[in-house]
Amino acid sequence: MEKMDGKVIVITGGSSGMGAAMAKDFVTRGAKVAIFDLDEEKGNHLVAEAGDAAAYYKIDVTSKAEIKKGIQSVEEKYGPLTTLVNSAGVSKMVPFLESTEELWDLTMDVNLKATFLCCQIAIERMLEHGGGEILNMSSLSGKKASSWQTIYCASKFGVQGLTQSIAKEFADQNIRVNSICPGIVYTEMWEKLKHEYARKRNIDPEEVMDYFKGNIPMHRLVEMKDVINAAVFLLTEKASYLTGQSINLVGGEWMD
Ligand SMILES: NC(=O)c1ccc[n+]([C@@H]2O[C@H](COP(=O)([O-])OP(=O)(O)OC[C@H]3O[C@@H](n4cnc5c(N)ncnc54)[C@H](O)[C@@H]3O)[C@@H](O)[C@H]2O)c1
């Protein structure tokens, strides 16, 4: 098992879905994990199971002041921040002409601005103590256009540009920044999205996942272990020459 001893990791969106799965796994590898999320109940439940190695912070990642305060508290508790995972995200599937300005603001704030803010504040700290690594949860929608997902795609294409540009700027300062681009991971996000996708395709919500599987060359969705394997690889020594890269977790659906 690849160890993560000595790492102090902030995971945004860590109360749910992929963020929560990574948090649980990283603790078993010896890391100290801090979850930044709005969902207090799920965050507290998760850290109660993980013991002293994990802590939950109720933080709105669209607020620079809250992130700054949060990272300060994490460093007081666990020591210098080594690692940031940006997994907080929102997604809604809606026809372009029904897409509102409010949805634009929310999606851009959580998916893109928060990633920018968290990277900036984390890198300030990482530079103080010699480096670190960042993983941004992007998406297949950060590379491939989809109708009814204009705003989400725009935000995730943005995450790709952000990841690559920051990676280039700090490549010679021992800070690596990479992303993962998953296809469909059946998390709470998809509990809601499947109803929206069913409307788009005019099918039953319960048929949506089989519909997707039919179109994926490997005929299965992304599993949590796929996400964890890619994340652990990117955040540890085995990926020490990788920065500004993205791993497509898509079962062969997309190859660029
Ligand atoms: N599920 C998928 O199929 C899929 C595929 C590709 C990419 N992604 C991306 O991966 C990431 C994780 O997705 P998931 O499916 O695990 O999502 P999820 O909905 O299970 O969890 C997202 C978490 O983000 C938190 N969050 C939202 N707004 C926040 C804010 N302002 N401040 C703090 N926390 C906030 C939520 O409370 C929630 O706990 C997201 O960025 C998503 O866009 C998901």
Side-chain angles (χ1 to χ4, degrees):
M1 184 201 260
E2 196 71 22
K3 299 298 284 177
M4 289 180 137
D5 294 311
K7 288 198 188 295
V8 175
I9 307 178
V10 164
I11 304 182
T12 76
S15 290
S16 172
M18 289 183 256
M22 285 186 271
K24 283 186 211 160
D25 180 84
F26 295 171
V27 165
T28 68
R29 294 172 193 273
K32 304 284 190 243
V33 174
I35 288 167
F36 286 10
D37 201 296
L38 288 174
D39 193 323
E40 208 167 359
E41 198 182 320
K42 280 203 254 160
N44 278 325
H45 182 72
L46 192 147
V47 302
E49 281 179 357
D52 280 351
Y56 166 75
Y57 298 81
K58 185 170 185 178
I59 284 172
D60 179 349
V61 289
T62 66
S63 157
K64 187 171 184 173
E66 287 188 31
I67 303 161
K68 225 174 177 148
K69 207 168 136 211
I71 290 186
Q72 196 180 340
S73 309
V74 171
E75 293 203 316
E76 280 162 16
K77 184 174 171 68
Y78 290 133
L81 178 75
T82 63
T83 310
L84 167 69
V85 177
N86 285 300
S87 190
V90 291
S91 179
K92 190 161 176 60
M93 220 171 262
V94 60
F96 177 65
L97 294 178
E98 292 174 25
S99 303
T100 62
E101 203 175 334
E102 287 74 26
L103 181 64
W104 173 274
D105 288 344
L106 173 72
T107 310
M108 288 298 167
D109 279 359
V110 179
N111 295 3
L112 190 54
K113 183 176 121 176
T115 303
F116 155 70
L117 290 174
C118 290
C119 285
Q120 194 178 55
I121 296 163
I123 288 173
E124 277 170 6
R125 299 302 311 134
M126 289 170 181
L127 289 173
E128 289 281 312
H129 50 261
E133 56 277 320
I134 297 177
L135 172 60
N136 293 328
M137 292 310 297
S138 181
S139 173
L140 175 56
S141 299
K143 295 188 168 178
K144 181 186 174 200
S146 291
S147 56
W148 287 37
Q149 283 211 290
T150 308
I151 301 176
Y152 184 71
C153 283
S155 74
K156 293 296 186 181
F157 270 69
V159 169
Q160 288 300 104
L162 197 69
T163 303
Q164 292 173 17
S165 303
I166 301 171
K168 200 162 248 189
E169 191 160 337
F170 295 96
D172 60 358
Q173 289 168 87
N174 200 31
I175 293 175
R176 298 185 302 105
V177 191
N178 293 293
S179 71
I180 295 180
C181 295
I184 291 162
V185 195
Y186 197 77
T187 61
E188 283 201 10
M189 194 172 260
W190 271 100
E191 280 294 334
K192 290 175 227 145
L193 281 177
K194 73 179 178 193
H195 296 278
E196 296 163 11
Y197 195 80
R199 182 184 155 217
K200 173 176 165 179
R201 290 274 169 233
N202 204 15
I203 57 176
D204 189 278
E206 296 317 314
E207 292 170 22
V208 167
M209 291 303 146
D210 284 339
Y211 176 88
F212 282 128
K213 285 179 202 167
N215 290 325
I216 297 167
M218 283 191 187
H219 299 307
R220 71 165 175 87
L221 305 180
V222 188
E223 290 171 9
M224 269 322 166
K225 70 170 171 26
D226 303 317
V227 177
I228 289 166
N229 286 340
V232 170
F233 169 66
L234 288 173
L235 294 173
T236 53
E237 205 38 41
K238 291 223 162 72
S240 61
Y241 197 52
L242 293 189
T243 197
Q245 307 302 311
S246 54
I247 294 184
N248 297 335
L249 282 181
V250 295
E253 194 183 342
W254 187 259
M255 297 183 180
D256 277 342

